[in-house]
Amino acid sequence: MKYKKISITKSTQWLFKWQTQLRLLDWKISFQRISIFQVSDDYCRVGNQFVGISQNRHQQTATIHHTRHLTEEDIVHELLHVRYPKWSEEQVNTHTAFLLNLIN
């Protein structure tokens, strides 16, 4: 019997690495690619890049929505929103930079 090789993307590898580091392994986190035409800016212009996360804390599920290829920084940033939901965007940005410089 032949088995298909499963290709593990870099994003999936980073997700597992950082879920482990941030102690979020009990969360089910997925990726969803969306069209740039689903994203508008403050002036209602469409065609913008986007990376963001939606989460259900009760069910411990989250989806990282993105219009472009994800970077490790994107994944760390979005997971920090899950780990520390009360943090400001500035705190998440600062801690993302700290973690990537400290560990990488």
Side-chain angles (χ1 to χ4, degrees), residues 3-36:
Y3 293 95
K4 274 186 170 180
K5 265 191 175 177
I6 298 174
S7 173
I8 298 176
T9 65
K10 200 66 164 164
S11 296
T12 304
Q13 292 172 353
W14 290 328
L15 179 62
F16 179 74
K17 171 186 173 181
W18 287 103
Q19 274 189 270
T20 302
Q21 290 285 334
L22 296 172
R23 298 184 182 146
L24 292 169
L25 287 174
D26 50 341
W27 279 73
K28 182 180 181 207
I29 299 173
S30 60
F31 302 111
Q32 182 179 25
R33 182 82 183 232
I34 61 174
S35 167
I36 61 171

PDB file of all heavy atoms in Angstrom, residues 3-36:
ATOM      1  N   TYR A   3       1.485   5.263   0.521  1.00  0.00           N
ATOM      2  CA  TYR A   3       0.957   6.358   1.303  1.00  0.00           C
ATOM      3  C   TYR A   3       1.348   7.669   0.661  1.00  0.00           C
ATOM      4  O   TYR A   3       2.454   7.811   0.153  1.00  0.00           O
ATOM      5  CB  TYR A   3       1.502   6.324   2.738  1.00  0.00           C
ATOM      6  CG  TYR A   3       1.002   5.138   3.522  1.00  0.00           C
ATOM      7  CD1 TYR A   3       1.751   3.970   3.603  1.00  0.00           C
ATOM      8  CD2 TYR A   3      -0.222   5.189   4.162  1.00  0.00           C
ATOM      9  CE1 TYR A   3       1.287   2.875   4.313  1.00  0.00           C
ATOM     10  CE2 TYR A   3      -0.696   4.103   4.873  1.00  0.00           C
ATOM     11  CZ  TYR A   3       0.064   2.954   4.949  1.00  0.00           C
ATOM     12  OH  TYR A   3      -0.403   1.885   5.650  1.00  0.00           O
ATOM     13  N   LYS A   4       0.426   8.604   0.690  1.00  0.00           N
ATOM     14  CA  LYS A   4       0.725   9.932   0.173  1.00  0.00           C
ATOM     15  C   LYS A   4       1.636  10.648   1.157  1.00  0.00           C
ATOM     16  O   LYS A   4       1.440  10.566   2.369  1.00  0.00           O
ATOM     17  CB  LYS A   4      -0.560  10.759   0.046  1.00  0.00           C
ATOM     18  CG  LYS A   4      -1.296  10.578  -1.221  1.00  0.00           C
ATOM     19  CD  LYS A   4      -2.438  11.578  -1.242  1.00  0.00           C
ATOM     20  CE  LYS A   4      -3.069  11.623  -2.600  1.00  0.00           C
ATOM     21  NZ  LYS A   4      -4.163  12.588  -2.626  1.00  0.00           N
ATOM     22  N   LYS A   5       2.609  11.345   0.620  1.00  0.00           N
ATOM     23  CA  LYS A   5       3.413  12.205   1.464  1.00  0.00           C
ATOM     24  C   LYS A   5       2.603  13.441   1.785  1.00  0.00           C
ATOM     25  O   LYS A   5       2.015  14.050   0.899  1.00  0.00           O
ATOM     26  CB  LYS A   5       4.691  12.618   0.739  1.00  0.00           C
ATOM     27  CG  LYS A   5       5.857  11.766   1.030  1.00  0.00           C
ATOM     28  CD  LYS A   5       7.107  12.431   0.488  1.00  0.00           C
ATOM     29  CE  LYS A   5       8.305  11.622   0.904  1.00  0.00           C
ATOM     30  NZ  LYS A   5       9.530  12.152   0.360  1.00  0.00           N
ATOM     31  N   ILE A   6       2.587  13.792   3.030  1.00  0.00           N
ATOM     32  CA  ILE A   6       1.870  15.002   3.437  1.00  0.00           C
ATOM     33  C   ILE A   6       2.878  16.130   3.501  1.00  0.00           C
ATOM     34  O   ILE A   6       3.889  16.039   4.193  1.00  0.00           O
ATOM     35  CB  ILE A   6       1.177  14.808   4.797  1.00  0.00           C
ATOM     36  CG1 ILE A   6       0.142  13.699   4.694  1.00  0.00           C
ATOM     37  CG2 ILE A   6       0.556  16.098   5.279  1.00  0.00           C
ATOM     38  CD1 ILE A   6      -0.482  13.326   6.000  1.00  0.00           C
ATOM     39  N   SER A   7       2.612  17.166   2.753  1.00  0.00           N
ATOM     40  CA  SER A   7       3.493  18.322   2.744  1.00  0.00           C
ATOM     41  C   SER A   7       3.125  19.233   3.909  1.00  0.00           C
ATOM     42  O   SER A   7       1.996  19.708   4.000  1.00  0.00           O
ATOM     43  CB  SER A   7       3.336  19.074   1.427  1.00  0.00           C
ATOM     44  OG  SER A   7       4.067  20.268   1.478  1.00  0.00           O
ATOM     45  N   ILE A   8       4.070  19.424   4.788  1.00  0.00           N
ATOM     46  CA  ILE A   8       3.841  20.333   5.902  1.00  0.00           C
ATOM     47  C   ILE A   8       4.431  21.679   5.513  1.00  0.00           C
ATOM     48  O   ILE A   8       5.621  21.794   5.269  1.00  0.00           O
ATOM     49  CB  ILE A   8       4.477  19.804   7.199  1.00  0.00           C
ATOM     50  CG1 ILE A   8       3.836  18.467   7.574  1.00  0.00           C
ATOM     51  CG2 ILE A   8       4.333  20.810   8.321  1.00  0.00           C
ATOM     52  CD1 ILE A   8       4.450  17.798   8.770  1.00  0.00           C
ATOM     53  N   THR A   9       3.574  22.662   5.449  1.00  0.00           N
ATOM     54  CA  THR A   9       4.019  23.983   5.030  1.00  0.00           C
ATOM     55  C   THR A   9       4.834  24.647   6.133  1.00  0.00           C
ATOM     56  O   THR A   9       4.754  24.271   7.309  1.00  0.00           O
ATOM     57  CB  THR A   9       2.824  24.886   4.694  1.00  0.00           C
ATOM     58  OG1 THR A   9       2.075  25.109   5.892  1.00  0.00           O
ATOM     59  CG2 THR A   9       1.943  24.274   3.620  1.00  0.00           C
ATOM     60  N   LYS A  10       5.592  25.631   5.740  1.00  0.00           N
ATOM     61  CA  LYS A  10       6.369  26.405   6.699  1.00  0.00           C
ATOM     62  C   LYS A  10       5.438  27.048   7.727  1.00  0.00           C
ATOM     63  O   LYS A  10       5.748  27.068   8.916  1.00  0.00           O
ATOM     64  CB  LYS A  10       7.180  27.472   5.944  1.00  0.00           C
ATOM     65  CG  LYS A  10       8.331  27.986   6.702  1.00  0.00           C
ATOM     66  CD  LYS A  10       9.363  26.902   6.905  1.00  0.00           C
ATOM     67  CE  LYS A  10      10.679  27.494   7.331  1.00  0.00           C
ATOM     68  NZ  LYS A  10      11.573  26.497   7.894  1.00  0.00           N
ATOM     69  N   SER A  11       4.288  27.530   7.276  1.00  0.00           N
ATOM     70  CA  SER A  11       3.327  28.147   8.205  1.00  0.00           C
ATOM     71  C   SER A  11       2.884  27.160   9.267  1.00  0.00           C
ATOM     72  O   SER A  11       2.765  27.508  10.440  1.00  0.00           O
ATOM     73  CB  SER A  11       2.106  28.666   7.441  1.00  0.00           C
ATOM     74  OG  SER A  11       2.462  29.684   6.551  1.00  0.00           O
ATOM     75  N   THR A  12       2.631  25.924   8.862  1.00  0.00           N
ATOM     76  CA  THR A  12       2.206  24.893   9.812  1.00  0.00           C
ATOM     77  C   THR A  12       3.322  24.582  10.801  1.00  0.00           C
ATOM     78  O   THR A  12       3.065  24.396  11.996  1.00  0.00           O
ATOM     79  CB  THR A  12       1.780  23.618   9.054  1.00  0.00           C
ATOM     80  OG1 THR A  12       0.751  23.971   8.127  1.00  0.00           O
ATOM     81  CG2 THR A  12       1.261  22.561  10.000  1.00  0.00           C
ATOM     82  N   GLN A  13       4.549  24.547  10.316  1.00  0.00           N
ATOM     83  CA  GLN A  13       5.687  24.314  11.211  1.00  0.00           C
ATOM     84  C   GLN A  13       5.815  25.445  12.230  1.00  0.00           C
ATOM     85  O   GLN A  13       6.019  25.203  13.419  1.00  0.00           O
ATOM     86  CB  GLN A  13       6.983  24.189  10.404  1.00  0.00           C
ATOM     87  CG  GLN A  13       7.044  22.940   9.558  1.00  0.00           C
ATOM     88  CD  GLN A  13       8.246  22.941   8.616  1.00  0.00           C
ATOM     89  OE1 GLN A  13       8.976  23.935   8.506  1.00  0.00           O
ATOM     90  NE2 GLN A  13       8.454  21.832   7.942  1.00  0.00           N
ATOM     91  N   TRP A  14       5.713  26.677  11.748  1.00  0.00           N
ATOM     92  CA  TRP A  14       5.789  27.814  12.662  1.00  0.00           C
ATOM     93  C   TRP A  14       4.636  27.797  13.658  1.00  0.00           C
ATOM     94  O   TRP A  14       4.821  28.103  14.836  1.00  0.00           O
ATOM     95  CB  TRP A  14       5.779  29.122  11.890  1.00  0.00           C
ATOM     96  CG  TRP A  14       7.015  29.407  11.110  1.00  0.00           C
ATOM     97  CD1 TRP A  14       8.302  29.050  11.411  1.00  0.00           C
ATOM     98  CD2 TRP A  14       7.094  30.135   9.891  1.00  0.00           C
ATOM     99  NE1 TRP A  14       9.164  29.510  10.452  1.00  0.00           N
ATOM    100  CE2 TRP A  14       8.448  30.187   9.497  1.00  0.00           C
ATOM    101  CE3 TRP A  14       6.146  30.757   9.076  1.00  0.00           C
ATOM    102  CZ2 TRP A  14       8.880  30.829   8.348  1.00  0.00           C
ATOM    103  CZ3 TRP A  14       6.573  31.391   7.926  1.00  0.00           C
ATOM    104  CH2 TRP A  14       7.928  31.433   7.567  1.00  0.00           C
ATOM    105  N   LEU A  15       3.454  27.439  13.188  1.00  0.00           N
ATOM    106  CA  LEU A  15       2.295  27.388  14.074  1.00  0.00           C
ATOM    107  C   LEU A  15       2.539  26.415  15.215  1.00  0.00           C
ATOM    108  O   LEU A  15       2.341  26.754  16.385  1.00  0.00           O
ATOM    109  CB  LEU A  15       1.035  26.993  13.292  1.00  0.00           C
ATOM    110  CG  LEU A  15      -0.247  26.876  14.122  1.00  0.00           C
ATOM    111  CD1 LEU A  15      -0.622  28.207  14.747  1.00  0.00           C
ATOM    112  CD2 LEU A  15      -1.370  26.344  13.255  1.00  0.00           C
ATOM    113  N   PHE A  16       3.001  25.215  14.909  1.00  0.00           N
ATOM    114  CA  PHE A  16       3.255  24.226  15.954  1.00  0.00           C
ATOM    115  C   PHE A  16       4.354  24.709  16.904  1.00  0.00           C
ATOM    116  O   PHE A  16       4.231  24.601  18.126  1.00  0.00           O
ATOM    117  CB  PHE A  16       3.637  22.865  15.348  1.00  0.00           C
ATOM    118  CG  PHE A  16       3.921  21.835  16.394  1.00  0.00           C
ATOM    119  CD1 PHE A  16       2.892  21.261  17.126  1.00  0.00           C
ATOM    120  CD2 PHE A  16       5.227  21.450  16.667  1.00  0.00           C
ATOM    121  CE1 PHE A  16       3.154  20.319  18.115  1.00  0.00           C
ATOM    122  CE2 PHE A  16       5.498  20.512  17.649  1.00  0.00           C
ATOM    123  CZ  PHE A  16       4.462  19.945  18.368  1.00  0.00           C
ATOM    124  N   LYS A  17       5.414  25.263  16.343  1.00  0.00           N
ATOM    125  CA  LYS A  17       6.531  25.772  17.161  1.00  0.00           C
ATOM    126  C   LYS A  17       6.038  26.810  18.166  1.00  0.00           C
ATOM    127  O   LYS A  17       6.343  26.733  19.354  1.00  0.00           O
ATOM    128  CB  LYS A  17       7.593  26.384  16.245  1.00  0.00           C
ATOM    129  CG  LYS A  17       8.691  27.138  16.968  1.00  0.00           C
ATOM    130  CD  LYS A  17       9.616  27.828  15.978  1.00  0.00           C
ATOM    131  CE  LYS A  17      10.615  28.737  16.655  1.00  0.00           C
ATOM    132  NZ  LYS A  17      11.481  29.424  15.682  1.00  0.00           N
ATOM    133  N   TRP A  18       5.251  27.765  17.672  1.00  0.00           N
ATOM    134  CA  TRP A  18       4.841  28.865  18.538  1.00  0.00           C
ATOM    135  C   TRP A  18       3.655  28.511  19.425  1.00  0.00           C
ATOM    136  O   TRP A  18       3.522  29.055  20.524  1.00  0.00           O
ATOM    137  CB  TRP A  18       4.618  30.122  17.711  1.00  0.00           C
ATOM    138  CG  TRP A  18       5.950  30.655  17.274  1.00  0.00           C
ATOM    139  CD1 TRP A  18       6.525  30.542  16.039  1.00  0.00           C
ATOM    140  CD2 TRP A  18       6.910  31.293  18.098  1.00  0.00           C
ATOM    141  NE1 TRP A  18       7.782  31.097  16.051  1.00  0.00           N
ATOM    142  CE2 TRP A  18       8.043  31.561  17.309  1.00  0.00           C
ATOM    143  CE3 TRP A  18       6.934  31.670  19.441  1.00  0.00           C
ATOM    144  CZ2 TRP A  18       9.176  32.193  17.811  1.00  0.00           C
ATOM    145  CZ3 TRP A  18       8.062  32.310  19.941  1.00  0.00           C
ATOM    146  CH2 TRP A  18       9.166  32.560  19.133  1.00  0.00           C
ATOM    147  N   GLN A  19       2.806  27.591  19.000  1.00  0.00           N
ATOM    148  CA  GLN A  19       1.768  27.106  19.912  1.00  0.00           C
ATOM    149  C   GLN A  19       2.432  26.420  21.098  1.00  0.00           C
ATOM    150  O   GLN A  19       1.978  26.551  22.239  1.00  0.00           O
ATOM    151  CB  GLN A  19       0.830  26.114  19.206  1.00  0.00           C
ATOM    152  CG  GLN A  19      -0.302  26.771  18.471  1.00  0.00           C
ATOM    153  CD  GLN A  19      -1.320  25.751  17.986  1.00  0.00           C
ATOM    154  OE1 GLN A  19      -1.190  25.244  16.874  1.00  0.00           O
ATOM    155  NE2 GLN A  19      -2.292  25.460  18.808  1.00  0.00           N
ATOM    156  N   THR A  20       3.517  25.701  20.835  1.00  0.00           N
ATOM    157  CA  THR A  20       4.261  25.038  21.902  1.00  0.00           C
ATOM    158  C   THR A  20       4.905  26.076  22.817  1.00  0.00           C
ATOM    159  O   THR A  20       4.747  26.021  24.042  1.00  0.00           O
ATOM    160  CB  THR A  20       5.340  24.105  21.304  1.00  0.00           C
ATOM    161  OG1 THR A  20       4.705  23.157  20.448  1.00  0.00           O
ATOM    162  CG2 THR A  20       6.109  23.385  22.393  1.00  0.00           C
ATOM    163  N   GLN A  21       5.611  27.040  22.227  1.00  0.00           N
ATOM    164  CA  GLN A  21       6.305  28.074  23.005  1.00  0.00           C
ATOM    165  C   GLN A  21       5.344  28.889  23.875  1.00  0.00           C
ATOM    166  O   GLN A  21       5.669  29.233  25.001  1.00  0.00           O
ATOM    167  CB  GLN A  21       7.056  29.037  22.068  1.00  0.00           C
ATOM    168  CG  GLN A  21       8.245  28.454  21.386  1.00  0.00           C
ATOM    169  CD  GLN A  21       9.440  28.292  22.305  1.00  0.00           C
ATOM    170  OE1 GLN A  21       9.583  29.001  23.296  1.00  0.00           O
ATOM    171  NE2 GLN A  21      10.290  27.337  21.993  1.00  0.00           N
ATOM    172  N   LEU A  22       4.178  29.189  23.327  1.00  0.00           N
ATOM    173  CA  LEU A  22       3.216  30.041  24.029  1.00  0.00           C
ATOM    174  C   LEU A  22       2.186  29.249  24.829  1.00  0.00           C
ATOM    175  O   LEU A  22       1.225  29.809  25.343  1.00  0.00           O
ATOM    176  CB  LEU A  22       2.517  30.974  23.023  1.00  0.00           C
ATOM    177  CG  LEU A  22       3.438  31.971  22.335  1.00  0.00           C
ATOM    178  CD1 LEU A  22       2.710  32.706  21.218  1.00  0.00           C
ATOM    179  CD2 LEU A  22       4.021  32.965  23.343  1.00  0.00           C
ATOM    180  N   ARG A  23       2.385  27.947  24.881  1.00  0.00           N
ATOM    181  CA  ARG A  23       1.495  27.054  25.650  1.00  0.00           C
ATOM    182  C   ARG A  23       0.042  27.166  25.183  1.00  0.00           C
ATOM    183  O   ARG A  23      -0.877  27.350  25.966  1.00  0.00           O
ATOM    184  CB  ARG A  23       1.619  27.330  27.141  1.00  0.00           C
ATOM    185  CG  ARG A  23       3.012  27.072  27.658  1.00  0.00           C
ATOM    186  CD  ARG A  23       3.118  27.256  29.137  1.00  0.00           C
ATOM    187  NE  ARG A  23       4.498  27.044  29.544  1.00  0.00           N
ATOM    188  CZ  ARG A  23       5.081  27.684  30.520  1.00  0.00           C
ATOM    189  NH1 ARG A  23       4.418  28.577  31.212  1.00  0.00           N
ATOM    190  NH2 ARG A  23       6.332  27.444  30.820  1.00  0.00           N
ATOM    191  N   LEU A  24      -0.118  27.017  23.865  1.00  0.00           N
ATOM    192  CA  LEU A  24      -1.448  27.076  23.257  1.00  0.00           C
ATOM    193  C   LEU A  24      -1.789  25.780  22.531  1.00  0.00           C
ATOM    194  O   LEU A  24      -2.609  25.773  21.615  1.00  0.00           O
ATOM    195  CB  LEU A  24      -1.530  28.248  22.267  1.00  0.00           C
ATOM    196  CG  LEU A  24      -1.483  29.653  22.862  1.00  0.00           C
ATOM    197  CD1 LEU A  24      -1.305  30.691  21.770  1.00  0.00           C
ATOM    198  CD2 LEU A  24      -2.727  29.928  23.684  1.00  0.00           C
ATOM    199  N   LEU A  25      -1.169  24.680  22.927  1.00  0.00           N
ATOM    200  CA  LEU A  25      -1.399  23.414  22.225  1.00  0.00           C
ATOM    201  C   LEU A  25      -2.814  22.879  22.403  1.00  0.00           C
ATOM    202  O   LEU A  25      -3.257  22.041  21.628  1.00  0.00           O
ATOM    203  CB  LEU A  25      -0.371  22.365  22.653  1.00  0.00           C
ATOM    204  CG  LEU A  25       1.036  22.594  22.109  1.00  0.00           C
ATOM    205  CD1 LEU A  25       2.011  21.592  22.710  1.00  0.00           C
ATOM    206  CD2 LEU A  25       1.044  22.506  20.593  1.00  0.00           C
ATOM    207  N   ASP A  26      -3.536  23.369  23.399  1.00  0.00           N
ATOM    208  CA  ASP A  26      -4.918  22.934  23.584  1.00  0.00           C
ATOM    209  C   ASP A  26      -5.885  23.679  22.663  1.00  0.00           C
ATOM    210  O   ASP A  26      -7.065  23.372  22.613  1.00  0.00           O
ATOM    211  CB  ASP A  26      -5.347  23.074  25.046  1.00  0.00           C
ATOM    212  CG  ASP A  26      -5.045  24.444  25.636  1.00  0.00           C
ATOM    213  OD1 ASP A  26      -4.204  25.173  25.072  1.00  0.00           O
ATOM    214  OD2 ASP A  26      -5.635  24.776  26.674  1.00  0.00           O
ATOM    215  N   TRP A  27      -5.378  24.630  21.902  1.00  0.00           N
ATOM    216  CA  TRP A  27      -6.178  25.378  20.939  1.00  0.00           C
ATOM    217  C   TRP A  27      -6.082  24.735  19.563  1.00  0.00           C
ATOM    218  O   TRP A  27      -5.012  24.284  19.159  1.00  0.00           O
ATOM    219  CB  TRP A  27      -5.670  26.816  20.827  1.00  0.00           C
ATOM    220  CG  TRP A  27      -6.164  27.703  21.921  1.00  0.00           C
ATOM    221  CD1 TRP A  27      -5.765  27.694  23.226  1.00  0.00           C
ATOM    222  CD2 TRP A  27      -7.137  28.729  21.802  1.00  0.00           C
ATOM    223  NE1 TRP A  27      -6.430  28.652  23.922  1.00  0.00           N
ATOM    224  CE2 TRP A  27      -7.283  29.305  23.073  1.00  0.00           C
ATOM    225  CE3 TRP A  27      -7.893  29.211  20.747  1.00  0.00           C
ATOM    226  CZ2 TRP A  27      -8.168  30.353  23.313  1.00  0.00           C
ATOM    227  CZ3 TRP A  27      -8.775  30.252  20.984  1.00  0.00           C
ATOM    228  CH2 TRP A  27      -8.908  30.805  22.264  1.00  0.00           C
ATOM    229  N   LYS A  28      -7.194  24.720  18.850  1.00  0.00           N
ATOM    230  CA  LYS A  28      -7.201  24.277  17.455  1.00  0.00           C
ATOM    231  C   LYS A  28      -7.154  25.545  16.598  1.00  0.00           C
ATOM    232  O   LYS A  28      -8.104  26.329  16.584  1.00  0.00           O
ATOM    233  CB  LYS A  28      -8.448  23.465  17.135  1.00  0.00           C
ATOM    234  CG  LYS A  28      -8.432  22.964  15.717  1.00  0.00           C
ATOM    235  CD  LYS A  28      -9.653  22.153  15.381  1.00  0.00           C
ATOM    236  CE  LYS A  28      -9.497  21.705  13.936  1.00  0.00           C
ATOM    237  NZ  LYS A  28     -10.716  21.481  13.273  1.00  0.00           N
ATOM    238  N   ILE A  29      -6.047  25.719  15.902  1.00  0.00           N
ATOM    239  CA  ILE A  29      -5.855  26.930  15.122  1.00  0.00           C
ATOM    240  C   ILE A  29      -5.675  26.550  13.662  1.00  0.00           C
ATOM    241  O   ILE A  29      -4.902  25.654  13.331  1.00  0.00           O
ATOM    242  CB  ILE A  29      -4.650  27.736  15.644  1.00  0.00           C
ATOM    243  CG1 ILE A  29      -4.920  28.130  17.099  1.00  0.00           C
ATOM    244  CG2 ILE A  29      -4.398  28.965  14.777  1.00  0.00           C
ATOM    245  CD1 ILE A  29      -3.784  28.771  17.824  1.00  0.00           C
ATOM    246  N   SER A  30      -6.410  27.236  12.803  1.00  0.00           N
ATOM    247  CA  SER A  30      -6.347  26.938  11.369  1.00  0.00           C
ATOM    248  C   SER A  30      -6.021  28.210  10.597  1.00  0.00           C
ATOM    249  O   SER A  30      -6.003  29.307  11.147  1.00  0.00           O
ATOM    250  CB  SER A  30      -7.678  26.347  10.894  1.00  0.00           C
ATOM    251  OG  SER A  30      -8.727  27.265  11.133  1.00  0.00           O
ATOM    252  N   PHE A  31      -5.766  28.027   9.311  1.00  0.00           N
ATOM    253  CA  PHE A  31      -5.486  29.137   8.401  1.00  0.00           C
ATOM    254  C   PHE A  31      -6.609  29.242   7.385  1.00  0.00           C
ATOM    255  O   PHE A  31      -7.147  28.229   6.950  1.00  0.00           O
ATOM    256  CB  PHE A  31      -4.178  28.905   7.632  1.00  0.00           C
ATOM    257  CG  PHE A  31      -2.977  28.730   8.503  1.00  0.00           C
ATOM    258  CD1 PHE A  31      -2.346  27.505   8.601  1.00  0.00           C
ATOM    259  CD2 PHE A  31      -2.455  29.787   9.218  1.00  0.00           C
ATOM    260  CE1 PHE A  31      -1.226  27.325   9.388  1.00  0.00           C
ATOM    261  CE2 PHE A  31      -1.328  29.623  10.010  1.00  0.00           C
ATOM    262  CZ  PHE A  31      -0.717  28.394  10.095  1.00  0.00           C
ATOM    263  N   GLN A  32      -6.942  30.459   6.989  1.00  0.00           N
ATOM    264  CA  GLN A  32      -7.910  30.661   5.920  1.00  0.00           C
ATOM    265  C   GLN A  32      -7.422  31.789   5.015  1.00  0.00           C
ATOM    266  O   GLN A  32      -7.309  32.936   5.442  1.00  0.00           O
ATOM    267  CB  GLN A  32      -9.298  31.008   6.453  1.00  0.00           C
ATOM    268  CG  GLN A  32     -10.305  31.161   5.331  1.00  0.00           C
ATOM    269  CD  GLN A  32     -11.689  31.486   5.841  1.00  0.00           C
ATOM    270  OE1 GLN A  32     -11.862  32.027   6.924  1.00  0.00           O
ATOM    271  NE2 GLN A  32     -12.681  31.163   5.043  1.00  0.00           N
ATOM    272  N   ARG A  33      -7.130  31.419   3.779  1.00  0.00           N
ATOM    273  CA  ARG A  33      -6.718  32.419   2.784  1.00  0.00           C
ATOM    274  C   ARG A  33      -7.967  33.137   2.297  1.00  0.00           C
ATOM    275  O   ARG A  33      -8.983  32.501   1.991  1.00  0.00           O
ATOM    276  CB  ARG A  33      -6.015  31.707   1.613  1.00  0.00           C
ATOM    277  CG  ARG A  33      -5.495  32.610   0.540  1.00  0.00           C
ATOM    278  CD  ARG A  33      -4.156  33.179   0.949  1.00  0.00           C
ATOM    279  NE  ARG A  33      -3.644  34.109  -0.029  1.00  0.00           N
ATOM    280  CZ  ARG A  33      -2.430  34.023  -0.549  1.00  0.00           C
ATOM    281  NH1 ARG A  33      -1.633  33.048  -0.211  1.00  0.00           N
ATOM    282  NH2 ARG A  33      -2.026  34.918  -1.404  1.00  0.00           N
ATOM    283  N   ILE A  34      -7.917  34.452   2.267  1.00  0.00           N
ATOM    284  CA  ILE A  34      -9.046  35.239   1.787  1.00  0.00           C
ATOM    285  C   ILE A  34      -8.572  36.145   0.650  1.00  0.00           C
ATOM    286  O   ILE A  34      -7.383  36.402   0.495  1.00  0.00           O
ATOM    287  CB  ILE A  34      -9.708  36.072   2.915  1.00  0.00           C
ATOM    288  CG1 ILE A  34      -8.706  37.059   3.523  1.00  0.00           C
ATOM    289  CG2 ILE A  34     -10.310  35.161   3.974  1.00  0.00           C
ATOM    290  CD1 ILE A  34      -9.311  38.009   4.541  1.00  0.00           C
ATOM    291  N   SER A  35      -9.502  36.633  -0.114  1.00  0.00           N
ATOM    292  CA  SER A  35      -9.204  37.516  -1.242  1.00  0.00           C
ATOM    293  C   SER A  35      -8.925  38.930  -0.746  1.00  0.00           C
ATOM    294  O   SER A  35      -9.569  39.397   0.209  1.00  0.00           O
ATOM    295  CB  SER A  35     -10.392  37.542  -2.200  1.00  0.00           C
ATOM    296  OG  SER A  35     -10.251  38.597  -3.131  1.00  0.00           O
ATOM    297  N   ILE A  36      -8.028  39.620  -1.423  1.00  0.00           N
ATOM    298  CA  ILE A  36      -7.785  41.027  -1.073  1.00  0.00           C
ATOM    299  C   ILE A  36      -9.040  41.861  -1.271  1.00  0.00           C
ATOM    300  O   ILE A  36      -9.180  42.925  -0.676  1.00  0.00           O
ATOM    301  CB  ILE A  36      -6.597  41.629  -1.865  1.00  0.00           C
ATOM    302  CG1 ILE A  36      -6.862  41.597  -3.370  1.00  0.00           C
ATOM    303  CG2 ILE A  36      -5.291  40.963  -1.501  1.00  0.00           C
ATOM    304  CD1 ILE A  36      -5.843  42.369  -4.193  1.00  0.00           C
TER     305      ILE A  36
END
